[in-house]
Amino acid sequence: MLLIRFCEESIAARYHTGKKMRCPTHLCTGQEAVPAAAGQALRSDDFVVSTHRAHGHYLGKGGDLNKMIAEIYGKKSGCSGGWGGSMHLVDRSVGFIGSTAIVAGTIPVGVGLGLSIKLKNTDQISCVFLGDAATEEGVFYESVNFAVLKKLPVLFICENNLYSVYSPLKVRQPEDRSITSMVQGLGCPAINGNGNDAIESYEKILKAVTSIRNGNGPVFLEFATYRWREHCGPDFDNHIGYRTEEEFEAWKMKDPIEAFEQKILLDNIIDKRMIEELKAGTQAKIDNAFKLADLAEFPDFCDQTWFSEVNG
Amino acid sequence: MLLIRFCEESIAARYHTGKKMRCPTHLCTGQEAVPAAAGQALRSDDFVVSTHRAHGHYLGKGGDLNKMIAEIYGKKSGCSGGWGGSMHLVDRSVGFIGSTAIVAGTIPVGVGLGLSIKLKNTDQISCVFLGDAATEEGVFYESVNFAVLKKLPVLFICENNLYSVYSPLKVRQPEDRSITSMVQGLGCPAINGNGNDAIESYEKILKAVTSIRNGNGPVFLEFATYRWREHCGPDFDNHIGYRTEEEFEAWKMKDPIEAFEQKILLDNIIDKRMIEELKAGTQAKIDNAFKLADLAEFPDFCDQTWFSEVNG
Amino acid sequence: MSCNMTFSQAVNDALATAMQIDENVICYGLGIPDPKGVFGTSLGLQEKFGHDRVFDMPCSENGMTGIAIGASLNGIRPVMTHQRLDFFLLAIDQLINNAANWKYMFGGNSGNVPITIRLIIGRGWGQGPTHSQSLHSWFAHVPGLKVVSPTTARDAKGLLLSSIFDDDPVIFLEHRWLHNHTEEVPEGDFRLPLGKASLLRRGNDVSVISMSYMSVEAIHAIDYLQDKCNINCDLIDLRSINPIDWETIFDSVRKTGRLLVLDTGWETLSVAGEIVARCAIECFDSMKCPPVRMALPDCPTPTSWALTKNYYKEAVDIGQTIAKMLKIEINLEPLKQMRGTNHDVPGDWFKGPF
Amino acid sequence: MSCNMTFSQAVNDALATAMQIDENVICYGLGIPDPKGVFGTSLGLQEKFGHDRVFDMPCSENGMTGIAIGASLNGIRPVMTHQRLDFFLLAIDQLINNAANWKYMFGGNSGNVPITIRLIIGRGWGQGPTHSQSLHSWFAHVPGLKVVSPTTARDAKGLLLSSIFDDDPVIFLEHRWLHNHTEEVPEGDFRLPLGKASLLRRGNDVSVISMSYMSVEAIHAIDYLQDKCNINCDLIDLRSINPIDWETIFDSVRKTGRLLVLDTGWETLSVAGEIVARCAIECFDSMKCPPVRMALPDCPTPTSWALTKNYYKEAVDIGQTIAKMLKIEINLEPLKQMRGTNHDVPGDWFKGPF
Ligand SMILES: Cc1ncc(C[n+]2csc(CCOP(=O)(O)OP(=O)(O)O)c2C)c(N)n1
Ligand SMILES: Cc1ncc(C[n+]2csc(CCOP(=O)(O)OP(=O)(O)O)c2C)c(N)n1
Ligand SMILES: [Mg+2]
Ligand SMILES: [Mg+2]
């Protein structure tokens, strides 16, 4: 969680200066609990696919920090060699198969990974991250139907942050219908939870993971959460009027990291000094990643091996 | 119902001879109750859109018989001037806006008609016919979501005949999930019924129509029924092995027309002679439609006013 | 009366004008009523025309396209907007199988489909593979669709109004890099005919056929060549990609004998290719040298600043190509210098990230 | 060893061979295991390879395409089949935004997408506007996709096997009117390289470039012209529409100086147009007369028997065009007579209704 938070905030702090991160960047500040919890509950050989807002999912799953920052800088050492940018992350060594920028685009891909697991008869699972708006796409529905039909080892994790860009849920989905109950109607076991509570999220995800690994078919989890910064870009945008300052402040009070910190301090799992050390260490790693990214080479359009293979 | 049945059977009887109906033709023999009932329950200025299996819906709504047969013959006097064939029927004078051949293709079109009704503030309703397989398309889901979101005056009528071409439901949808309950999960009131019982169908449709006309938003009806002949074409196909002879015979026993005939005879609404007269009159009208279609002129590719308007 | 405004203001003005004139015009799309108003193009519309006629929508591109079609069959004129063309790929089913075919497949007996679909083509600041696809060539391949692609603010207004009131489905393409282009735009119900190209520059040496943002690069190149080298080119801005104004193109090619076509999309099967093909067929005897097309390499758009550098073509590349066609040497260094170091923005007004 | 079989049997044979060789090959699509087995092409596969590897699917074209992509990223080689190309328009999102872009958008670091998508192009017996669209030109426009389109049974087998084992997404097009074409087909793991055209006839007068079913019509025309009039044409069957075997085409055009391209799709922005364009660019000095393309009129397919008569082009039209290019008069009546009265079927084997 700390890594994710500090990383996002470091991007935000540096985005304007120097203008070296020249790609659309969707930060997940405020939403760190679920990605972190999922990363803990999943095995390294489990698959993950994700969305435009993927930094947390990537880091949570153990994706290489240096390669992610380099990718955002458009460098050759980036996880996608500079071809993808913030919205196209990959680290197959830890099962992070890919994040893409079309809403709901990776949902069937994740289900297809689930199908491949079934065909290969391993005990992996495939985890699909999605936003609340992604549930409005027909392909989401088609994907859930097939996962249920074939009892595939797929975990759907929907982070419901109330908005699609600046559009609140109520202009997109019937107000008296929850996403969870809708998915239950599709025949998929579905549960919701507090996405700002890291421990609750972890427990719910772990339970789902266990059930799926035991061959009981897909599970859908909906977590309520909130994005602090603007939809795309490094700034805050409460002033533009699509959400209220009060709503924002209320959610900020539910900061998942602070809550977790209080909890583990109270439970004496950790002490203040250890936390400070952890924070300093994490920030140092991140600062180093930025330094490496800045120094790294740019890729060259002409030295791609695959170019002109097709349409040659 | 009689008109629909006799019409379909007359097509079947003539399809092979002379080979003049040169287009894919999906007959609805065995499924006449719902189209007939819907036609009765709807007003002439209500809108209907339909599928590849549209003859019943078209005739039920009051579509011109002669123009339909001429269309299947590919004649200029056809309802689509020969351009469309059996799968593309239209009769705007009775609110039949169109049937098309892509599964689920007209579902959003029907919802859009519902939106236009709301915008124009009339008390019409828009009725969308669909098959069981159409509920598997993402666009169905998207359409229902929007209809519910905006409380549009849309009646969805799903004729569940257990098959999509030769594919039974169980290879396409989870066995323990009914279409009705799934649609309820989407937040749309949904009811199922016996689609071979004309009176039950009529009552359920009428109730839904009344509710929708009163501004209560969309309703979804699922009717269980069965197609007697092959998916596409005039023949029977039980021998090819995708369904059993027993299943077919069991459904044939539930012939919607015979059941209705028995009922109105028993209730003394009609007597045997009147039925015979009705039958003879209906068949004569149909025979005449075939004669007219056969004699009618073919259209000419070169005399279309719109051709070369675009890509000119 | 006219008024100085940007391309996006002109789009906004056209939408407001259309909605004022005809209460059947409605306007929806993701983010249409939000505070950013789709790069300013839809700002204020919901306030002016109400929530029934101007609304946001679920993330359901295919369904919402079919809904536009259905509404249009009962006399509504929906204008649907997508912030990127790429998102509209989810709706190809309804666009092709229904909208494009509708008029024909019922022999003209089931009404027209007067929908307008605004698609914004992304470029720059790392838009990458799925936020910059320019598929006008796809749309122009399909009979039954009109495809409109304005370059200037004035054309944007005049053509958008005509698109909205046209009875065929129209794909209306807006290149993101044009949104800030400023010009005098007539007030009120100002329409320009669909299907007519516009002659932006006149000359006898080369016929340059161009579209959308590439016309801006072409102007820089052509003006430079005229000023510095006395080379004079016809510059024909297509404006309409289906139908194409063939006579204007053929007349020019028959005059100059040299054809250069610029395209914002991939090279193979590009609109540029179609123009080369038709000119090769129709103006065979007039051609003095092989026709040339300049389009994007056949490869998805990369994201990195460093990778897009060699992906897109600029004024200097156009100048070079024209020189080659005329077999002359030209110093293009000053033309190259005209552009700042950041090739991935059209100007300072474009700040990313979207 | 080889064996006489139809095009559909050859497809079936290729599928069975691929599944035998590699247990990662799976095969699904609407109706794949049903008693008709997609025009016979998938008969017996489920019995041989089981329900896990061969299965029917829900009517969810877009979702099932994304699922193929996902499975392929973990080493599976899915072959997905659609009874009509038109149905696949529902899946353009997954095809373009994901399959075509995948390799590039992760800089090659997220694996390949070795999926094969079989699409059947309908024609005849009133298939009409949404059961006969031939959109190979769309697919060929998009970088990252391969597009294969065999004409003969032998090619069908050899190219399908290569498509399945190719690491890029491949669109494999089968024209419904070719399914009954019979020929000797090698047994076992017989593969033909993707990207190579095949020279079906040889001659110095005209270069005829063709594809899919149009190559059959071309053979009739070219053989007739050779027998009766001593006119000799090169006939190049593309086989691969992306990549296109340009060298073979250019060599022929440089030899004959006359180019005729036949296409099964709409004229504007057709593959035929692309070939005309590239030849106009690359073989400018060799061209003796304006290039010609023959494709479908830019208008959706009508349904009526009477309307399709003037919609599709036949051998006699090809003969006429060649005569015109050579500026000679030829009696084509016998060629016209070769075809029976029913222009809307390829032969007696095709009985409709689907
Ligand atoms: C098909 C498609 N439509 C629209 C967009 C534009 N878009 C990018 S992110 C986004 C919001 C998605 O909201 P949600 O799924 O809730 O995720 P969040 O941004 O809240 O994390 C939209 C609409 C897109 N990328 N793809
Ligand atoms: C998008 C699409 N996929 C596949 C088909 C082929 N197809 C034609 S009818 C049909 C079956 C549809 O089944 P259902 O909706 O249950 O209607 P029924 O035929 O049973 O009346 C299919 C799959 C099609 N026309 N469109
Ligand atoms: Mg959200
Ligand atoms: Mg059915």
Side-chain angles (χ1 to χ4, degrees):
Chain A
M1 272 203 293
L2 265 187
L3 177 67
I4 302 174
R5 166 72 54 90
F6 284 12
C7 187
E8 297 299 65
E9 293 300 291
S10 302
I11 292 171
R14 288 167 167 94
Y15 197 84
H16 289 303
T17 17
K19 300 200 182 299
K20 291 182 171 176
M21 291 177 268
R22 297 177 88 84
C23 61
T25 304
H26 303 78
L27 303 179
C28 68
T29 312
Q31 300 189 190
E32 297 88 352
V34 172
Q40 291 302 312
L42 293 167
R43 286 196 327 226
S44 166
D45 68 341
D46 288 332
F47 298 132
V48 161
V49 293
S50 165
T51 67
H52 54 288
R53 199 177 306 287
H55 299 178
H57 307 143
Y58 173 96
L59 294 174
K61 191 68 176 34
D64 189 303
L65 168 67
N66 293 342
K67 288 186 177 171
M68 181 178 104
I69 302 296
E71 187 58 37
I72 302 174
Y73 272 71
K75 297 301 176 77
K76 201 170 164 176
S77 53
C79 59
S80 297
W83 278 78
S86 159
M87 303 193 292
H88 299 96
L89 303 179
V90 58
D91 189 341
R92 289 192 63 123
S93 71
V94 295
F96 193 88
I97 302 302
S99 64
T100 70
I102 296 295
V103 168
T106 52
I107 299 175
V109 173
V111 172
L113 286 163
L115 175 66
S116 73
I117 292 169
K118 202 176 172 205
L119 286 165
K120 299 195 166 215
N121 207 10
T122 70
D123 70 343
Q124 293 158 283
I125 81 166
S126 171
C127 171
V128 178
F129 285 103
L130 59 139
D132 45 290
T135 67
E136 293 150 22
E137 295 287 4
V139 77
F140 164 74
Y141 170 79
E142 296 179 355
S143 302
V144 171
N145 180 56
F146 189 74
V148 175
L149 177 71
K150 298 275 180 185
K151 281 196 165 228
L152 299 181
V154 179
L155 171 61
F156 300 96
I157 299 185
C158 175
E159 290 168 88
N160 183 345
N161 62 6
L162 308 178
Y163 293 91
S164 166
V165 192
Y166 311 114
S167 307
L169 265 171
K170 69 163 191 282
V171 304
R172 304 177 279 119
Q173 301 183 24
E175 276 190 273
D176 47 4
R177 186 195 81 192
S178 79
I179 294 175
T180 297
S181 70
M182 192 263 291
V183 174
Q184 284 166 347
L186 303 185
C188 184
I191 293 165
N192 55 20
N194 176 356
N196 279 20
D197 182 330
I199 295 168
E200 177 186 332
S201 299
Y202 176 75
E203 281 166 357
K204 287 190 166 155
I205 295 171
L206 191 66
K207 205 173 145 203
V209 165
T210 309
S211 162
I212 297 166
R213 228 185 279 290
N214 286 337
N216 298 317
V219 175
F220 181 96
L221 299 176
E222 178 192 3
F223 288 109
T225 185
Y226 199 76
R227 126 178 90 71
W228 289 7
R229 292 182 178 270
E230 61 186 336
H231 165 70
C232 180
D235 299 327
F236 291 98
D237 65 356
N238 303 320
H239 61 285
I240 68 174
Y242 73 102
R243 60 186 194 184
T244 63
E245 196 64 37
E246 295 77 62
E247 183 183 273
F248 173 76
E249 289 300 339
W251 278 96
K252 242 195 127 171
M253 299 284 288
K254 299 189 234 169
D255 181 348
I257 293 184
E258 214 168 279
F260 185 71
E261 204 175 307
Q262 297 304 334
K263 173 97 175 94
I264 52 177
L265 278 174
L266 259 175
D267 293 358
N268 280 322
I269 295 169
I270 202 165
D271 65 26
K272 282 227 164 184
R273 228 211 19 221
M274 283 161 73
I275 287 188
E276 288 318 313
E277 273 173 29
L278 200 66
K279 284 186 177 173
T282 304
Q283 189 61 50
K285 265 203 319 203
I286 291 168
D287 291 341
N288 186 50
F290 277 90
K291 201 187 306 162
L292 290 174
D294 198 13
L295 292 172
E297 251 180 83
F298 274 118
D300 181 350
F301 185 72
C302 302
D303 77 36
Q304 24 156 338
T305 45
W306 57 75
F307 181 55
S308 85
E309 257 178 36
V310 180
N311 280 342
Chain B
M1 272 201 292
L2 265 188
L3 177 68
I4 301 174
R5 166 72 53 91
F6 284 11
C7 187
E8 297 299 65
E9 293 300 291
S10 303
I11 293 171
R14 287 167 167 94
Y15 197 84
H16 289 304
T17 18
K19 301 199 182 297
K20 290 181 172 176
M21 290 178 267
R22 298 177 87 84
C23 59
T25 304
H26 304 78
L27 304 178
C28 68
T29 312
Q31 301 189 189
E32 298 87 353
V34 171
Q40 291 302 311
L42 293 168
R43 286 196 328 225
S44 166
D45 67 341
D46 288 332
F47 297 131
V48 161
V49 293
S50 165
T51 68
H52 54 287
R53 198 177 306 287
H55 299 177
H57 308 142
Y58 173 95
L59 294 173
K61 191 69 181 17
D64 190 303
L65 169 66
N66 294 341
K67 288 187 178 173
M68 181 178 103
I69 303 296
E71 186 59 37
I72 303 174
Y73 272 71
K75 297 302 177 76
K76 201 171 163 173
S77 54
C79 59
S80 299
W83 279 78
S86 160
M87 301 194 291
H88 299 97
L89 303 177
V90 58
D91 189 342
R92 288 192 66 122
S93 70
V94 296
F96 193 89
I97 303 301
S99 64
T100 70
I102 295 295
V103 169
T106 52
I107 298 175
V109 174
V111 172
L113 286 162
L115 175 67
S116 73
I117 292 169
K118 201 175 171 208
L119 285 165
K120 298 193 168 218
N121 207 8
T122 71
D123 70 344
Q124 293 158 284
I125 81 165
S126 170
C127 171
V128 178
F129 284 105
L130 60 140
D132 46 288
T135 67
E136 292 150 23
E137 295 288 4
V139 77
F140 163 74
Y141 169 79
E142 296 179 355
S143 302
V144 172
N145 180 57
F146 190 74
V148 174
L149 177 71
K150 297 276 182 186
K151 281 196 163 225
L152 300 181
V154 179
L155 171 61
F156 299 96
I157 300 185
C158 175
E159 290 168 87
N160 183 345
N161 63 5
L162 307 178
Y163 293 92
S164 165
V165 192
Y166 311 115
S167 307
L169 265 171
K170 70 162 189 282
V171 303
R172 304 178 279 119
Q173 300 182 24
E175 277 191 272
D176 48 4
R177 184 195 80 191
S178 79
I179 293 176
T180 296
S181 71
M182 191 264 290
V183 175
Q184 284 166 346
L186 302 185
C188 184
I191 293 164
N192 56 18
N194 176 357
N196 279 20
D197 182 331
I199 294 167
E200 178 186 332
S201 299
Y202 176 74
E203 282 166 355
K204 286 190 166 154
I205 295 171
L206 191 64
K207 204 172 144 201
V209 165
T210 309
S211 162
I212 297 166
R213 228 185 279 291
N214 287 337
N216 298 317
V219 175
F220 181 95
L221 299 175
E222 178 191 4
F223 288 110
T225 184
Y226 200 76
R227 125 180 90 71
W228 289 7
R229 292 182 178 271
E230 60 186 338
H231 165 69
C232 180
D235 299 327
F236 291 99
D237 66 356
N238 304 320
H239 60 284
I240 67 173
Y242 73 102
R243 59 187 195 183
T244 64
E245 196 64 37
E246 296 77 61
E247 182 183 275
F248 173 76
E249 289 300 338
W251 277 97
K252 240 193 131 171
M253 298 284 287
K254 299 189 233 169
D255 181 349
I257 293 184
E258 214 168 279
F260 185 70
E261 204 175 308
Q262 296 304 336
K263 171 95 175 101
I264 53 179
L265 278 173
L266 259 176
D267 293 359
N268 280 322
I269 294 168
I270 203 166
D271 66 25
K272 283 228 166 186
R273 229 213 15 222
M274 283 161 73
I275 286 187
E276 288 318 312
E277 274 175 29
L278 199 66
K279 285 186 175 172
T282 304
Q283 189 61 51
K285 263 201 323 201
I286 291 167
D287 291 342
N288 185 51
F290 277 91
K291 202 186 306 158
L292 290 174
D294 199 11
L295 292 171
E297 250 180 82
F298 274 118
D300 180 349
F301 185 71
C302 302
D303 77 36
Q304 24 154 337
T305 43
W306 57 74
F307 181 55
S308 84
E309 255 178 37
V310 179
N311 282 342
Chain C
M1 281 285 292
S2 74
C3 179
N4 210 38
M5 58 175 85
T6 64
F7 186 111
S8 20
Q9 286 164 341
V11 168
N12 186 273
D13 190 18
L15 292 171
T17 306
M19 297 193 77
Q20 199 109 48
I21 294 172
D22 183 348
E23 64 174 13
N24 287 313
V25 176
I26 66 171
C27 189
Y28 65 87
L30 291 175
I32 280 288
D34 81 22
K36 298 276 176 92
V38 187
F39 311 113
T41 59
S42 59
L43 285 178
L45 295 177
Q46 194 175 51
E47 292 75 1
K48 240 180 267 170
F49 301 103
H51 286 66
D52 282 347
R53 293 177 62 199
V54 181
F55 51 92
D56 213 317
M57 67 173 214
C59 240
S60 307
E61 287 80 1
N62 200 27
M64 294 309 300
T65 304
I67 285 165
I69 295 168
S72 80
L73 291 169
N74 192 27
I76 303 296
R77 292 186 177 273
V79 183
M80 192 184 184
T81 304
H82 297 277
Q83 310 227 14
R84 287 290 178 272
L85 180 149
D86 317 68
F87 309 159
F88 188 60
L89 292 180
L90 282 79
I92 291 297
D93 158 44
Q94 286 295 321
L95 180 75
I96 307 304
N97 283 324
N98 276 344
N101 278 320
W102 199 271
K103 184 161 73 173
Y104 296 80
M105 70 190 172
F106 298 106
N109 294 332
S110 193
N112 297 311
V113 176
I115 63 174
T116 301
I117 295 172
R118 293 176 50 214
L119 302 177
I120 294 166
I121 296 166
R123 174 170 167 181
W125 202 280
Q127 297 301 304
T130 57
H131 280 60
S132 62
Q133 292 170 98
S134 191
L135 288 164
H136 45 288
S137 129
W138 271 28
F139 300 126
H141 180 49
V142 180
L145 298 179
K146 287 183 175 140
V147 183
V148 175
S149 175
T151 301
T152 71
R154 188 170 180 277
D155 287 356
K157 175 165 179 187
L159 294 172
L160 181 52
L161 268 161
S162 294
S163 299
I164 293 171
F165 292 110
D166 190 89
D167 281 338
D168 283 319
V170 178
I171 301 289
F172 189 87
L173 301 166
E174 300 172 23
H175 195 288
R176 179 73 186 97
W177 282 21
L178 295 171
H179 272 142
N180 223 42
H181 175 270
T182 305
E183 185 179 46
E184 284 293 311
V185 176
E187 284 183 4
D189 186 7
F190 163 66
R191 304 192 199 182
L192 288 168
L194 303 184
K196 294 270 163 270
S198 116
L199 190 64
L200 295 181
R201 293 292 183 274
R202 214 178 272 271
N204 292 321
D205 295 324
V206 178
S207 300
V208 180
I209 321 293
S210 179
M211 64 179 73
S212 187
Y213 177 72
M214 282 311 281
S215 297
V216 175
E217 296 286 344
I219 287 175
H220 290 306
I222 288 171
D223 287 351
Y224 178 86
L225 293 177
Q226 179 157 47
D227 288 358
K228 303 282 144 90
C229 328
N230 201 26
I231 295 171
N232 300 296
C233 300
D234 266 358
L235 173 57
I236 295 174
D237 182 40
L238 283 181
R239 297 202 291 198
S240 169
I241 299 186
N242 188 12
I244 285 177
D245 184 354
W246 292 113
E247 280 321 309
T248 300
I249 295 173
F250 295 159
D251 285 350
S252 173
V253 173
R254 286 186 187 119
K255 177 181 71 176
T256 66
R258 294 190 190 85
L259 171 65
L260 167 62
V261 197
L262 311 178
D263 199 312
T264 55
W266 292 308
E267 180 170 2
T268 296
L269 281 154
S270 56
V271 169
E274 175 67 19
I275 293 172
V276 166
R278 289 233 187 186
C279 290
I281 294 168
E282 302 290 335
C283 313
F284 184 77
D285 294 324
S286 320
M287 292 277 198
K288 295 181 192 152
C289 71
V292 181
R293 59 180 172 179
M294 292 176 72
L296 298 183
D298 290 314
C299 142
T301 319
T303 299
S304 172
W305 179 89
L307 290 169
T308 50
K309 207 173 200 161
N310 294 304
Y311 187 71
Y312 290 103
K313 303 278 192 309
E314 296 175 6
V316 60
D317 305 303
I318 300 170
Q320 229 149 37
T321 304
I322 293 174
K324 228 164 126 187
M325 291 175 79
L326 293 168
K327 301 205 165 96
I328 52 176
E329 295 274 333
I330 304 176
N331 172 23
L332 292 164
E333 219 24 64
L335 183 58
K336 202 167 180 177
Q337 298 309 324
M338 275 175 55
R339 179 179 281 277
T341 42
N342 277 325
H343 64 274
D344 69 341
V345 290
D348 290 340
W349 64 271
F350 185 92
K351 297 195 192 314
F354 186 59
Chain D
M1 282 283 293
S2 74
C3 179
N4 211 38
M5 58 174 84
T6 64
F7 187 110
S8 17
Q9 286 164 341
V11 167
N12 186 272
D13 190 16
L15 292 172
T17 305
M19 296 192 77
Q20 200 108 49
I21 294 173
D22 183 348
E23 65 173 14
N24 287 313
V25 176
I26 66 171
C27 188
Y28 65 86
L30 291 175
I32 279 288
D34 80 22
K36 299 275 175 92
V38 187
F39 311 114
T41 58
S42 58
L43 285 178
L45 295 178
Q46 194 174 52
E47 292 76 359
K48 242 179 267 170
F49 302 103
H51 286 68
D52 282 346
R53 292 178 61 198
V54 181
F55 50 92
D56 212 317
M57 67 173 215
C59 241
S60 308
E61 286 81 0
N62 199 28
M64 294 309 299
T65 304
I67 286 165
I69 295 168
S72 79
L73 291 169
N74 192 26
I76 303 296
R77 293 186 176 272
V79 183
M80 192 184 185
T81 303
H82 298 276
Q83 311 228 13
R84 286 291 178 272
L85 179 149
D86 317 68
F87 309 159
F88 188 60
L89 292 181
L90 282 80
I92 291 297
D93 157 44
Q94 286 295 321
L95 180 75
I96 306 305
N97 283 325
N98 275 344
N101 279 320
W102 199 272
K103 184 161 71 174
Y104 296 80
M105 70 191 172
F106 298 106
N109 294 332
S110 193
N112 297 311
V113 176
I115 63 175
T116 301
I117 295 172
R118 292 177 51 214
L119 302 177
I120 294 166
I121 296 165
R123 174 169 166 182
W125 203 281
Q127 297 301 304
T130 55
H131 279 60
S132 62
Q133 293 170 97
S134 192
L135 287 166
H136 45 288
S137 126
W138 271 28
F139 301 126
H141 180 49
V142 180
L145 298 178
K146 286 181 176 143
V147 184
V148 175
S149 174
T151 302
T152 72
R154 187 170 181 277
D155 287 356
K157 175 164 178 187
L159 294 172
L160 181 51
L161 268 161
S162 295
S163 300
I164 294 171
F165 292 110
D166 190 89
D167 282 338
D168 283 319
V170 178
I171 302 290
F172 189 88
L173 301 165
E174 299 172 23
H175 195 288
R176 180 72 185 97
W177 281 22
L178 295 172
H179 273 143
N180 223 41
H181 175 270
T182 305
E183 184 179 44
E184 284 293 312
V185 176
E187 285 182 2
D189 186 8
F190 163 67
R191 305 191 197 180
L192 288 167
L194 303 183
K196 293 268 163 272
S198 119
L199 191 65
L200 295 180
R201 293 294 183 271
R202 215 178 273 270
N204 293 320
D205 295 325
V206 177
S207 300
V208 181
I209 320 294
S210 180
M211 65 178 73
S212 188
Y213 177 72
M214 283 310 283
S215 297
V216 175
E217 297 285 345
I219 288 175
H220 289 305
I222 289 172
D223 287 352
Y224 178 86
L225 293 177
Q226 178 157 48
D227 288 1
K228 303 283 145 91
C229 328
N230 201 26
I231 295 172
N232 300 297
C233 300
D234 265 359
L235 173 57
I236 295 173
D237 182 39
L238 283 182
R239 297 203 290 197
S240 169
I241 299 186
N242 188 14
I244 286 179
D245 184 354
W246 292 113
E247 280 320 309
T248 299
I249 295 173
F250 295 159
D251 284 349
S252 174
V253 173
R254 286 186 187 122
K255 176 181 71 175
T256 65
R258 294 189 190 86
L259 172 66
L260 168 62
V261 197
L262 311 177
D263 199 310
T264 55
W266 292 306
E267 180 170 2
T268 296
L269 282 155
S270 56
V271 170
E274 175 67 19
I275 293 173
V276 166
R278 288 232 190 187
C279 290
I281 295 168
E282 302 290 335
C283 313
F284 183 76
D285 294 323
S286 320
M287 292 275 198
K288 294 181 191 151
C289 71
V292 181
R293 58 180 172 179
M294 292 177 71
L296 298 182
D298 290 315
C299 142
T301 320
T303 299
S304 172
W305 179 88
L307 290 170
T308 49
K309 208 174 201 160
N310 295 305
Y311 187 71
Y312 290 104
K313 303 279 191 310
E314 295 174 6
V316 59
D317 306 304
I318 300 170
Q320 231 150 36
T321 304
I322 294 175
K324 227 165 124 187
M325 290 173 79
L326 294 167
K327 300 206 165 97
I328 53 176
E329 294 274 331
I330 305 176
N331 172 22
L332 293 164
E333 222 20 68
L335 183 57
K336 201 167 182 176
Q337 298 308 324
M338 276 176 52
R339 177 178 283 276
T341 42
N342 277 324
H343 64 276
D344 70 340
V345 290
D348 290 340
W349 64 270
F350 186 92
K351 296 197 192 313
F354 185 62

